[in-house]
mmCIF file with all atom_site columns, all heavy atoms in Angstrom:
data_model
loop_
_atom_site.group_PDB
_atom_site.id
_atom_site.type_symbol
_atom_site.label_atom_id
_atom_site.label_alt_id
_atom_site.label_comp_id
_atom_site.label_asym_id
_atom_site.label_entity_id
_atom_site.label_seq_id
_atom_site.pdbx_PDB_ins_code
_atom_site.Cartn_x
_atom_site.Cartn_y
_atom_site.Cartn_z
_atom_site.occupancy
_atom_site.B_iso_or_equiv
_atom_site.pdbx_formal_charge
_atom_site.auth_seq_id
_atom_site.auth_comp_id
_atom_site.auth_asym_id
_atom_site.auth_atom_id
_atom_site.pdbx_PDB_model_num
ATOM   1   N N   . SER K 1 64  ? -41.845 -11.557 23.999 1.00 0.00 ? 175 SER K N   1
ATOM   2   C CA  . SER K 1 64  ? -42.171 -12.171 22.711 1.00 0.00 ? 175 SER K CA  1
ATOM   3   C C   . SER K 1 64  ? -41.702 -13.620 22.777 1.00 0.00 ? 175 SER K C   1
ATOM   4   O O   . SER K 1 64  ? -40.563 -13.882 23.196 1.00 0.00 ? 175 SER K O   1
ATOM   5   C CB  . SER K 1 64  ? -41.446 -11.430 21.587 1.00 0.00 ? 175 SER K CB  1
ATOM   6   O OG  . SER K 1 64  ? -41.287 -12.280 20.467 1.00 0.00 ? 175 SER K OG  1
ATOM   7   N N   . THR K 1 65  ? -42.548 -14.542 22.371 1.00 0.00 ? 176 THR K N   1
ATOM   8   C CA  . THR K 1 65  ? -42.134 -15.956 22.418 1.00 0.00 ? 176 THR K CA  1
ATOM   9   C C   . THR K 1 65  ? -40.974 -16.203 21.452 1.00 0.00 ? 176 THR K C   1
ATOM   10  O O   . THR K 1 65  ? -40.153 -17.094 21.676 1.00 0.00 ? 176 THR K O   1
ATOM   11  C CB  . THR K 1 65  ? -43.316 -16.896 22.104 1.00 0.00 ? 176 THR K CB  1
ATOM   12  O OG1 . THR K 1 65  ? -43.904 -16.495 20.865 1.00 0.00 ? 176 THR K OG1 1
ATOM   13  C CG2 . THR K 1 65  ? -44.358 -16.869 23.209 1.00 0.00 ? 176 THR K CG2 1
ATOM   14  N N   . ASN K 1 66  ? -40.888 -15.420 20.363 1.00 0.00 ? 177 ASN K N   1
ATOM   15  C CA  . ASN K 1 66  ? -39.738 -15.578 19.456 1.00 0.00 ? 177 ASN K CA  1
ATOM   16  C C   . ASN K 1 66  ? -38.426 -15.293 20.213 1.00 0.00 ? 177 ASN K C   1
ATOM   17  O O   . ASN K 1 66  ? -37.433 -15.982 20.034 1.00 0.00 ? 177 ASN K O   1
ATOM   18  C CB  . ASN K 1 66  ? -39.847 -14.648 18.250 1.00 0.00 ? 177 ASN K CB  1
ATOM   19  C CG  . ASN K 1 66  ? -40.602 -15.299 17.092 1.00 0.00 ? 177 ASN K CG  1
ATOM   20  O OD1 . ASN K 1 66  ? -41.547 -16.053 17.311 1.00 0.00 ? 177 ASN K OD1 1
ATOM   21  N ND2 . ASN K 1 66  ? -40.192 -15.019 15.865 1.00 0.00 ? 177 ASN K ND2 1
ATOM   22  N N   . GLN K 1 88  ? -48.316 -11.648 25.560 1.00 0.00 ? 199 GLN K N   1
ATOM   23  C CA  . GLN K 1 88  ? -47.009 -11.092 25.192 1.00 0.00 ? 199 GLN K CA  1
ATOM   24  C C   . GLN K 1 88  ? -47.089 -9.583  25.374 1.00 0.00 ? 199 GLN K C   1
ATOM   25  O O   . GLN K 1 88  ? -48.079 -8.956  24.992 1.00 0.00 ? 199 GLN K O   1
ATOM   26  C CB  . GLN K 1 88  ? -46.680 -11.375 23.733 1.00 0.00 ? 199 GLN K CB  1
ATOM   27  C CG  . GLN K 1 88  ? -46.525 -12.846 23.384 1.00 0.00 ? 199 GLN K CG  1
ATOM   28  C CD  . GLN K 1 88  ? -46.133 -13.036 21.922 1.00 0.00 ? 199 GLN K CD  1
ATOM   29  O OE1 . GLN K 1 88  ? -45.055 -13.508 21.616 1.00 0.00 ? 199 GLN K OE1 1
ATOM   30  N NE2 . GLN K 1 88  ? -47.012 -12.646 21.013 1.00 0.00 ? 199 GLN K NE2 1
ATOM   31  N N   . ARG K 1 90  ? -44.601 -7.574  24.180 1.00 0.00 ? 201 ARG K N   1
ATOM   32  C CA  . ARG K 1 90  ? -43.994 -6.957  22.985 1.00 0.00 ? 201 ARG K CA  1
ATOM   33  C C   . ARG K 1 90  ? -44.052 -7.920  21.805 1.00 0.00 ? 201 ARG K C   1
ATOM   34  O O   . ARG K 1 90  ? -43.052 -8.145  21.118 1.00 0.00 ? 201 ARG K O   1
ATOM   35  C CB  . ARG K 1 90  ? -42.537 -6.563  23.275 1.00 0.00 ? 201 ARG K CB  1
ATOM   36  C CG  . ARG K 1 90  ? -42.421 -5.465  24.328 1.00 0.00 ? 201 ARG K CG  1
ATOM   37  C CD  . ARG K 1 90  ? -40.983 -5.221  24.627 1.00 0.00 ? 201 ARG K CD  1
ATOM   38  N NE  . ARG K 1 90  ? -40.313 -4.753  23.437 1.00 0.00 ? 201 ARG K NE  1
ATOM   39  C CZ  . ARG K 1 90  ? -39.827 -3.536  23.267 1.00 0.00 ? 201 ARG K CZ  1
ATOM   40  N NH1 . ARG K 1 90  ? -39.927 -2.664  24.227 1.00 0.00 ? 201 ARG K NH1 1
ATOM   41  N NH2 . ARG K 1 90  ? -39.220 -3.209  22.166 1.00 0.00 ? 201 ARG K NH2 1
ATOM   42  N N   . GLY K 1 91  ? -45.248 -8.510  21.617 1.00 0.00 ? 202 GLY K N   1
ATOM   43  C CA  . GLY K 1 91  ? -45.434 -9.398  20.478 1.00 0.00 ? 202 GLY K CA  1
ATOM   44  C C   . GLY K 1 91  ? -45.195 -8.599  19.200 1.00 0.00 ? 202 GLY K C   1
ATOM   45  O O   . GLY K 1 91  ? -45.621 -7.461  19.090 1.00 0.00 ? 202 GLY K O   1
ATOM   46  N N   . ARG K 1 92  ? -44.498 -9.211  18.251 1.00 0.00 ? 203 ARG K N   1
ATOM   47  C CA  . ARG K 1 92  ? -44.229 -8.448  17.026 1.00 0.00 ? 203 ARG K CA  1
ATOM   48  C C   . ARG K 1 92  ? -44.603 -9.251  15.786 1.00 0.00 ? 203 ARG K C   1
ATOM   49  O O   . ARG K 1 92  ? -44.584 -10.482 15.773 1.00 0.00 ? 203 ARG K O   1
ATOM   50  C CB  . ARG K 1 92  ? -42.769 -8.005  16.947 1.00 0.00 ? 203 ARG K CB  1
ATOM   51  C CG  . ARG K 1 92  ? -41.790 -9.134  16.917 1.00 0.00 ? 203 ARG K CG  1
ATOM   52  C CD  . ARG K 1 92  ? -40.366 -8.614  16.686 1.00 0.00 ? 203 ARG K CD  1
ATOM   53  N NE  . ARG K 1 92  ? -39.448 -9.725  16.625 1.00 0.00 ? 203 ARG K NE  1
ATOM   54  C CZ  . ARG K 1 92  ? -38.920 -10.333 17.674 1.00 0.00 ? 203 ARG K CZ  1
ATOM   55  N NH1 . ARG K 1 92  ? -39.199 -9.912  18.889 1.00 0.00 ? 203 ARG K NH1 1
ATOM   56  N NH2 . ARG K 1 92  ? -38.108 -11.364 17.514 1.00 0.00 ? 203 ARG K NH2 1
ATOM   57  N N   . GLY K 1 93  ? -44.934 -8.475  14.749 1.00 0.00 ? 204 GLY K N   1
ATOM   58  C CA  . GLY K 1 93  ? -45.257 -9.072  13.463 1.00 0.00 ? 204 GLY K CA  1
ATOM   59  C C   . GLY K 1 93  ? -44.163 -8.762  12.467 1.00 0.00 ? 204 GLY K C   1
ATOM   60  O O   . GLY K 1 93  ? -43.066 -8.320  12.847 1.00 0.00 ? 204 GLY K O   1
ATOM   61  N N   . ARG K 1 94  ? -44.447 -8.989  11.201 1.00 0.00 ? 205 ARG K N   1
ATOM   62  C CA  . ARG K 1 94  ? -43.438 -8.706  10.175 1.00 0.00 ? 205 ARG K CA  1
ATOM   63  C C   . ARG K 1 94  ? -43.207 -7.208  10.086 1.00 0.00 ? 205 ARG K C   1
ATOM   64  O O   . ARG K 1 94  ? -44.058 -6.415  10.448 1.00 0.00 ? 205 ARG K O   1
ATOM   65  C CB  . ARG K 1 94  ? -43.914 -9.242  8.821  1.00 0.00 ? 205 ARG K CB  1
ATOM   66  C CG  . ARG K 1 94  ? -43.896 -10.764 8.781  1.00 0.00 ? 205 ARG K CG  1
ATOM   67  C CD  . ARG K 1 94  ? -44.555 -11.262 7.540  1.00 0.00 ? 205 ARG K CD  1
ATOM   68  N NE  . ARG K 1 94  ? -43.719 -11.076 6.374  1.00 0.00 ? 205 ARG K NE  1
ATOM   69  C CZ  . ARG K 1 94  ? -44.136 -10.578 5.209  1.00 0.00 ? 205 ARG K CZ  1
ATOM   70  N NH1 . ARG K 1 94  ? -45.380 -10.199 5.075  1.00 0.00 ? 205 ARG K NH1 1
ATOM   71  N NH2 . ARG K 1 94  ? -43.316 -10.461 4.184  1.00 0.00 ? 205 ARG K NH2 1
ATOM   72  N N   . TRP K 1 99  ? -47.795 -6.950  17.409 1.00 0.00 ? 210 TRP K N   1
ATOM   73  C CA  . TRP K 1 99  ? -48.793 -8.024  17.315 1.00 0.00 ? 210 TRP K CA  1
ATOM   74  C C   . TRP K 1 99  ? -49.543 -8.073  18.652 1.00 0.00 ? 210 TRP K C   1
ATOM   75  O O   . TRP K 1 99  ? -48.973 -8.398  19.694 1.00 0.00 ? 210 TRP K O   1
ATOM   76  C CB  . TRP K 1 99  ? -48.131 -9.375  17.036 1.00 0.00 ? 210 TRP K CB  1
ATOM   77  C CG  . TRP K 1 99  ? -49.142 -10.476 16.929 1.00 0.00 ? 210 TRP K CG  1
ATOM   78  C CD1 . TRP K 1 99  ? -49.553 -11.307 17.935 1.00 0.00 ? 210 TRP K CD1 1
ATOM   79  C CD2 . TRP K 1 99  ? -49.901 -10.835 15.760 1.00 0.00 ? 210 TRP K CD2 1
ATOM   80  N NE1 . TRP K 1 99  ? -50.528 -12.158 17.461 1.00 0.00 ? 210 TRP K NE1 1
ATOM   81  C CE2 . TRP K 1 99  ? -50.759 -11.904 16.137 1.00 0.00 ? 210 TRP K CE2 1
ATOM   82  C CE3 . TRP K 1 99  ? -49.952 -10.361 14.448 1.00 0.00 ? 210 TRP K CE3 1
ATOM   83  C CZ2 . TRP K 1 99  ? -51.644 -12.501 15.244 1.00 0.00 ? 210 TRP K CZ2 1
ATOM   84  C CZ3 . TRP K 1 99  ? -50.836 -10.976 13.567 1.00 0.00 ? 210 TRP K CZ3 1
ATOM   85  C CH2 . TRP K 1 99  ? -51.664 -12.025 13.953 1.00 0.00 ? 210 TRP K CH2 1
ATOM   86  N N   . TRP K 1 108 ? -50.374 -17.816 21.020 1.00 0.00 ? 219 TRP K N   1
ATOM   87  C CA  . TRP K 1 108 ? -49.184 -17.029 20.703 1.00 0.00 ? 219 TRP K CA  1
ATOM   88  C C   . TRP K 1 108 ? -48.001 -17.932 21.027 1.00 0.00 ? 219 TRP K C   1
ATOM   89  O O   . TRP K 1 108 ? -47.750 -18.231 22.196 1.00 0.00 ? 219 TRP K O   1
ATOM   90  C CB  . TRP K 1 108 ? -49.107 -15.736 21.541 1.00 0.00 ? 219 TRP K CB  1
ATOM   91  C CG  . TRP K 1 108 ? -50.406 -15.111 21.954 1.00 0.00 ? 219 TRP K CG  1
ATOM   92  C CD1 . TRP K 1 108 ? -50.817 -14.827 23.212 1.00 0.00 ? 219 TRP K CD1 1
ATOM   93  C CD2 . TRP K 1 108 ? -51.472 -14.640 21.085 1.00 0.00 ? 219 TRP K CD2 1
ATOM   94  N NE1 . TRP K 1 108 ? -52.071 -14.246 23.202 1.00 0.00 ? 219 TRP K NE1 1
ATOM   95  C CE2 . TRP K 1 108 ? -52.498 -14.123 21.914 1.00 0.00 ? 219 TRP K CE2 1
ATOM   96  C CE3 . TRP K 1 108 ? -51.669 -14.628 19.706 1.00 0.00 ? 219 TRP K CE3 1
ATOM   97  C CZ2 . TRP K 1 108 ? -53.682 -13.592 21.412 1.00 0.00 ? 219 TRP K CZ2 1
ATOM   98  C CZ3 . TRP K 1 108 ? -52.857 -14.107 19.202 1.00 0.00 ? 219 TRP K CZ3 1
ATOM   99  C CH2 . TRP K 1 108 ? -53.838 -13.588 20.053 1.00 0.00 ? 219 TRP K CH2 1
ATOM   100 N N   . PHE K 1 109 ? -47.311 -18.395 19.983 1.00 0.00 ? 220 PHE K N   1
ATOM   101 C CA  . PHE K 1 109 ? -46.245 -19.372 20.275 1.00 0.00 ? 220 PHE K CA  1
ATOM   102 C C   . PHE K 1 109 ? -45.170 -19.370 19.205 1.00 0.00 ? 220 PHE K C   1
ATOM   103 O O   . PHE K 1 109 ? -45.359 -18.852 18.097 1.00 0.00 ? 220 PHE K O   1
ATOM   104 C CB  . PHE K 1 109 ? -46.847 -20.778 20.420 1.00 0.00 ? 220 PHE K CB  1
ATOM   105 C CG  . PHE K 1 109 ? -47.416 -21.360 19.152 1.00 0.00 ? 220 PHE K CG  1
ATOM   106 C CD1 . PHE K 1 109 ? -46.702 -22.305 18.406 1.00 0.00 ? 220 PHE K CD1 1
ATOM   107 C CD2 . PHE K 1 109 ? -48.676 -21.004 18.715 1.00 0.00 ? 220 PHE K CD2 1
ATOM   108 C CE1 . PHE K 1 109 ? -47.231 -22.862 17.252 1.00 0.00 ? 220 PHE K CE1 1
ATOM   109 C CE2 . PHE K 1 109 ? -49.224 -21.558 17.552 1.00 0.00 ? 220 PHE K CE2 1
ATOM   110 C CZ  . PHE K 1 109 ? -48.494 -22.484 16.824 1.00 0.00 ? 220 PHE K CZ  1
ATOM   111 N N   . SER K 1 110 ? -44.029 -19.950 19.579 1.00 0.00 ? 221 SER K N   1
ATOM   112 C CA  . SER K 1 110 ? -42.885 -20.028 18.664 1.00 0.00 ? 221 SER K CA  1
ATOM   113 C C   . SER K 1 110 ? -42.268 -21.421 18.744 1.00 0.00 ? 221 SER K C   1
ATOM   114 O O   . SER K 1 110 ? -42.271 -22.057 19.798 1.00 0.00 ? 221 SER K O   1
ATOM   115 C CB  . SER K 1 110 ? -41.823 -18.997 19.035 1.00 0.00 ? 221 SER K CB  1
ATOM   116 O OG  . SER K 1 110 ? -42.395 -17.706 19.032 1.00 0.00 ? 221 SER K OG  1
ATOM   117 N N   . ASN K 1 151 ? -47.592 -15.107 4.578  1.00 0.00 ? 262 ASN K N   1
ATOM   118 C CA  . ASN K 1 151 ? -47.694 -15.485 5.989  1.00 0.00 ? 262 ASN K CA  1
ATOM   119 C C   . ASN K 1 151 ? -49.050 -15.266 6.639  1.00 0.00 ? 262 ASN K C   1
ATOM   120 O O   . ASN K 1 151 ? -49.154 -15.386 7.847  1.00 0.00 ? 262 ASN K O   1
ATOM   121 C CB  . ASN K 1 151 ? -46.647 -14.700 6.791  1.00 0.00 ? 262 ASN K CB  1
ATOM   122 C CG  . ASN K 1 151 ? -47.056 -13.251 6.915  1.00 0.00 ? 262 ASN K CG  1
ATOM   123 O OD1 . ASN K 1 151 ? -47.588 -12.684 5.980  1.00 0.00 ? 262 ASN K OD1 1
ATOM   124 N ND2 . ASN K 1 151 ? -46.856 -12.665 8.067  1.00 0.00 ? 262 ASN K ND2 1
ATOM   125 N N   . ASP K 1 152 ? -50.064 -14.932 5.869  1.00 0.00 ? 263 ASP K N   1
ATOM   126 C CA  . ASP K 1 152 ? -51.342 -14.646 6.527  1.00 0.00 ? 263 ASP K CA  1
ATOM   127 C C   . ASP K 1 152 ? -52.351 -15.748 6.265  1.00 0.00 ? 263 ASP K C   1
ATOM   128 O O   . ASP K 1 152 ? -52.488 -16.214 5.134  1.00 0.00 ? 263 ASP K O   1
ATOM   129 C CB  . ASP K 1 152 ? -51.950 -13.349 5.981  1.00 0.00 ? 263 ASP K CB  1
ATOM   130 C CG  . ASP K 1 152 ? -51.175 -12.113 6.398  1.00 0.00 ? 263 ASP K CG  1
ATOM   131 O OD1 . ASP K 1 152 ? -50.216 -12.257 7.185  1.00 0.00 ? 263 ASP K OD1 1
ATOM   132 O OD2 . ASP K 1 152 ? -51.525 -11.023 5.940  1.00 0.00 ? 263 ASP K OD2 1
ATOM   133 N N   . LYS K 1 159 ? -57.717 -10.934 8.588  1.00 0.00 ? 270 LYS K N   1
ATOM   134 C CA  . LYS K 1 159 ? -56.582 -11.735 9.068  1.00 0.00 ? 270 LYS K CA  1
ATOM   135 C C   . LYS K 1 159 ? -56.937 -12.478 10.357 1.00 0.00 ? 270 LYS K C   1
ATOM   136 O O   . LYS K 1 159 ? -57.375 -11.875 11.332 1.00 0.00 ? 270 LYS K O   1
ATOM   137 C CB  . LYS K 1 159 ? -55.397 -10.796 9.291  1.00 0.00 ? 270 LYS K CB  1
ATOM   138 C CG  . LYS K 1 159 ? -54.140 -11.500 9.716  1.00 0.00 ? 270 LYS K CG  1
ATOM   139 C CD  . LYS K 1 159 ? -52.943 -10.654 9.369  1.00 0.00 ? 270 LYS K CD  1
ATOM   140 C CE  . LYS K 1 159 ? -51.678 -11.161 9.994  1.00 0.00 ? 270 LYS K CE  1
ATOM   141 N NZ  . LYS K 1 159 ? -50.487 -10.547 9.430  1.00 0.00 ? 270 LYS K NZ  1
ATOM   142 N N   . GLY K 1 162 ? -51.083 -14.930 11.751 1.00 0.00 ? 273 GLY K N   1
ATOM   143 C CA  . GLY K 1 162 ? -49.886 -14.447 11.057 1.00 0.00 ? 273 GLY K CA  1
ATOM   144 C C   . GLY K 1 162 ? -48.681 -15.269 11.490 1.00 0.00 ? 273 GLY K C   1
ATOM   145 O O   . GLY K 1 162 ? -48.670 -15.863 12.583 1.00 0.00 ? 273 GLY K O   1
ATOM   146 N N   . ILE K 1 163 ? -47.690 -15.308 10.629 1.00 0.00 ? 274 ILE K N   1
ATOM   147 C CA  . ILE K 1 163 ? -46.501 -16.123 10.882 1.00 0.00 ? 274 ILE K CA  1
ATOM   148 C C   . ILE K 1 163 ? -45.265 -15.260 10.692 1.00 0.00 ? 274 ILE K C   1
ATOM   149 O O   . ILE K 1 163 ? -45.157 -14.531 9.699  1.00 0.00 ? 274 ILE K O   1
ATOM   150 C CB  . ILE K 1 163 ? -46.462 -17.325 9.913  1.00 0.00 ? 274 ILE K CB  1
ATOM   151 C CG1 . ILE K 1 163 ? -47.695 -18.210 10.171 1.00 0.00 ? 274 ILE K CG1 1
ATOM   152 C CG2 . ILE K 1 163 ? -45.179 -18.141 10.079 1.00 0.00 ? 274 ILE K CG2 1
ATOM   153 C CD1 . ILE K 1 163 ? -48.010 -19.145 9.050  1.00 0.00 ? 274 ILE K CD1 1
ATOM   154 N N   . LEU K 1 164 ? -44.370 -15.341 11.644 1.00 0.00 ? 275 LEU K N   1
ATOM   155 C CA  . LEU K 1 164 ? -43.121 -14.578 11.568 1.00 0.00 ? 275 LEU K CA  1
ATOM   156 C C   . LEU K 1 164 ? -41.967 -15.563 11.673 1.00 0.00 ? 275 LEU K C   1
ATOM   157 O O   . LEU K 1 164 ? -41.731 -16.128 12.735 1.00 0.00 ? 275 LEU K O   1
ATOM   158 C CB  . LEU K 1 164 ? -43.072 -13.587 12.739 1.00 0.00 ? 275 LEU K CB  1
ATOM   159 C CG  . LEU K 1 164 ? -41.797 -12.776 12.913 1.00 0.00 ? 275 LEU K CG  1
ATOM   160 C CD1 . LEU K 1 164 ? -41.660 -11.751 11.787 1.00 0.00 ? 275 LEU K CD1 1
ATOM   161 C CD2 . LEU K 1 164 ? -41.793 -12.052 14.260 1.00 0.00 ? 275 LEU K CD2 1
ATOM   162 N N   . GLY K 1 180 ? -42.679 -18.182 14.472 1.00 0.00 ? 291 GLY K N   1
ATOM   163 C CA  . GLY K 1 180 ? -43.593 -17.582 15.462 1.00 0.00 ? 291 GLY K CA  1
ATOM   164 C C   . GLY K 1 180 ? -44.980 -17.477 14.860 1.00 0.00 ? 291 GLY K C   1
ATOM   165 O O   . GLY K 1 180 ? -45.145 -16.992 13.738 1.00 0.00 ? 291 GLY K O   1
ATOM   166 N N   . ILE K 1 181 ? -45.973 -17.957 15.594 1.00 0.00 ? 292 ILE K N   1
ATOM   167 C CA  . ILE K 1 181 ? -47.334 -17.970 15.062 1.00 0.00 ? 292 ILE K CA  1
ATOM   168 C C   . ILE K 1 181 ? -48.282 -17.286 16.038 1.00 0.00 ? 292 ILE K C   1
ATOM   169 O O   . ILE K 1 181 ? -48.235 -17.538 17.248 1.00 0.00 ? 292 ILE K O   1
ATOM   170 C CB  . ILE K 1 181 ? -47.802 -19.420 14.786 1.00 0.00 ? 292 ILE K CB  1
ATOM   171 C CG1 . ILE K 1 181 ? -46.861 -20.047 13.757 1.00 0.00 ? 292 ILE K CG1 1
ATOM   172 C CG2 . ILE K 1 181 ? -49.257 -19.441 14.311 1.00 0.00 ? 292 ILE K CG2 1
ATOM   173 C CD1 . ILE K 1 181 ? -47.223 -21.422 13.279 1.00 0.00 ? 292 ILE K CD1 1
ATOM   174 N N   . GLY K 1 182 ? -49.098 -16.418 15.503 1.00 0.00 ? 293 GLY K N   1
ATOM   175 C CA  . GLY K 1 182 ? -50.139 -15.765 16.305 1.00 0.00 ? 293 GLY K CA  1
ATOM   176 C C   . GLY K 1 182 ? -51.484 -16.099 15.688 1.00 0.00 ? 293 GLY K C   1
ATOM   177 O O   . GLY K 1 182 ? -51.691 -15.880 14.494 1.00 0.00 ? 293 GLY K O   1
HETATM 178 C C1  . BTN B 2 .   ? -47.397 -11.142 11.075 1.00 0.00 ? 605 BTN B C1  1
HETATM 179 O O1  . BTN B 2 .   ? -48.469 -11.457 10.562 1.00 0.00 ? 605 BTN B O1  1
HETATM 180 O O2  . BTN B 2 .   ? -46.898 -10.038 10.858 1.00 0.00 ? 605 BTN B O2  1
HETATM 181 C C2  . BTN B 2 .   ? -46.703 -12.140 11.952 1.00 0.00 ? 605 BTN B C2  1
HETATM 182 C C3  . BTN B 2 .   ? -47.283 -12.191 13.344 1.00 0.00 ? 605 BTN B C3  1
HETATM 183 C C4  . BTN B 2 .   ? -46.585 -13.182 14.237 1.00 0.00 ? 605 BTN B C4  1
HETATM 184 C C5  . BTN B 2 .   ? -47.038 -13.079 15.673 1.00 0.00 ? 605 BTN B C5  1
HETATM 185 C C6  . BTN B 2 .   ? -46.480 -14.193 16.525 1.00 0.00 ? 605 BTN B C6  1
HETATM 186 S S1  . BTN B 2 .   ? -47.242 -14.293 18.110 1.00 0.00 ? 605 BTN B S1  1
HETATM 187 C C7  . BTN B 2 .   ? -46.032 -15.429 18.639 1.00 0.00 ? 605 BTN B C7  1
HETATM 188 C C8  . BTN B 2 .   ? -44.704 -14.968 18.072 1.00 0.00 ? 605 BTN B C8  1
HETATM 189 N N1  . BTN B 2 .   ? -44.083 -13.992 18.963 1.00 0.00 ? 605 BTN B N1  1
HETATM 190 C C9  . BTN B 2 .   ? -44.013 -12.797 18.403 1.00 0.00 ? 605 BTN B C9  1
HETATM 191 O O3  . BTN B 2 .   ? -43.533 -11.783 18.955 1.00 0.00 ? 605 BTN B O3  1
HETATM 192 N N2  . BTN B 2 .   ? -44.522 -12.822 17.161 1.00 0.00 ? 605 BTN B N2  1
HETATM 193 C C10 . BTN B 2 .   ? -44.984 -14.149 16.810 1.00 0.00 ? 605 BTN B C10 1
#
Side-chain angles (χ1 to χ4, degrees):
S175 156
T176 53
N177 271 36
Q199 296 183 115
R201 295 176 62 112
R203 61 174 182 277
R205 289 171 75 226
W210 180 266
W219 329 124
F220 67 101
S221 303
N262 73 322
D263 290 355
K270 183 157 169 167
I274 298 162
L275 175 70
I292 299 185

